Amino acid sequence: METLAQIERGTVKFIDAELAPKIPTNIPNGQIKKIAALAGAAYAVRTGLQRAVSSPTFAAMGAVDGEGNVDIAGLAEALSAQIPESGFKVTVPILGELTFYREDIERLQSYIMEG
C-alpha cells in the first residue's frame, strides 16, 4: 500500500520525465502551453487522488485501506488488463489527444513505488 504523498510524488515525476518531453514547444505559444499543461496536471493529480481515495468503488475493491493508503500494484494490474493493445486515448486540454499503453502503467507504477 502506498501513501497519497508517495502517489502524488511518483505521478508528478512520471509526468515530468515521460510526458513533458513530448509536449511540443516549437509551435505558437508552445512554451506557455507546456507550462500551463504541467501546472494543470499537477493540480489534477492532487484533486483526482483525493476524490479517488474517497470513492466507494475503490473501497469496495479493497484498493484503499482504513488509513487512506492505496494498493497501487493491484490497481495497476487491473488497469493494465483493460487497456487494449492499441492503447487508451485521452483528450487533454491544451495538449490534445494522448495515447497510453500498458507499458505506461508499468512505468507510472515504478515511479510511484520509488516515491
Side-chain angles (χ1 to χ4, degrees), residues 80-95:
S80 290
Q82 297 302 313
I83 296 177
E85 290 294 322
S86 59
F88 176 72
K89 295 184 186 318
V90 178
T91 302
V92 179
I94 300 174
L95 298 180

Side-chain angles (χ1 to χ4, degrees), residues 53-110:
V53 169
S54 62
S55 164
T57 304
F58 271 37
M61 291 172 53
V64 179
D65 68 14
E67 297 173 12
N69 298 315
V70 182
D71 178 11
I72 290 298
L75 287 174
E77 183 180 331
L79 182 58
S80 290
Q82 297 302 313
I83 296 177
E85 290 294 322
S86 59
F88 176 72
K89 295 184 186 318
V90 178
T91 302
V92 179
I94 300 174
L95 298 180
E97 190 172 90
L98 299 176
T99 304
F100 293 93
Y101 300 93
R102 291 178 185 155
E103 298 81 29
D104 294 314
I105 301 305
E106 292 168 9
R107 279 195 293 278
L108 173 58
Q109 181 181 358
S110 293

Side-chain angles (χ1 to χ4, degrees), residues 1 3 6 12 30-32 37 45 48 52 54 59 73 75-76 80 95 99 106:
M1 296 287 222
T3 67
Q6 186 179 356
V12 169
Q31 195 63 32
I32 293 170
V45 167
S54 62
L75 287 174
S80 290
L95 298 180
T99 304
E106 292 168 9

Side-chain angles (χ1 to χ4, degrees), residues 38-52:
L38 295 176
Y43 173 77
V45 167
R46 177 169 290 230
T47 57
L49 263 171
Q50 292 167 348
R51 270 195 311 254

